[in-house]
Amino acid sequence: MFEELAKILKDNYQIENIELSTNFKKDLDLTSFDFVNIIALIEDKYGIEIEEESYRSLNTVGDLTEYLEGRIKH
């Protein structure tokens, strides 16, 4: 799942060298709009819905990866 998330960030935001500890706001300087767009891309790709209440707890790539692994079965 981490690799797939890193690919989404690279393909849509030209962000490379992603680690699990990478913080969306502090390290990548992404706006709230950027983050919501990333969520929308993920929702479309996997056919899931990520509740807005969950957004606050998804601060790092690792947080989002763990969340998705719990929701998406491969």
Side-chain angles (χ1 to χ4, degrees):
M1 182 57 60
F2 170 75
E3 291 80 15
E4 294 175 29
L5 183 53
K7 183 174 179 359
I8 289 171
L9 291 170
K10 181 179 180 184
D11 291 349
N12 293 281
Y13 289 91
Q14 294 71 48
I15 298 171
E16 300 199 33
N17 301 320
I18 302 293
E19 297 179 14
L20 288 172
S21 62
T22 301
N23 185 291
F24 291 107
K25 188 173 184 177
K26 294 176 185 172
D27 299 326
L28 302 179
D29 200 33
L30 295 178
T31 65
S32 297
F33 179 79
D34 292 329
F35 184 74
V36 170
N37 187 53
I38 290 167
I39 296 297
L41 291 167
I42 291 167
E43 289 176 332
D44 288 345
K45 179 173 178 150
Y46 295 105
I48 63 168
E49 184 175 335
I50 299 173
E51 298 80 22
E52 285 187 47
E53 308 87 58
S54 300
Y55 292 6
R56 285 186 217 122
S57 66
L58 304 174
N59 298 309
T60 68
V61 173
D63 294 338
L64 184 53
T65 298
E66 186 176 316
Y67 179 87
L68 293 173
E69 287 174 344
R71 299 279 315 272
I72 299 170
K73 307 298 179 221
H74 287 278

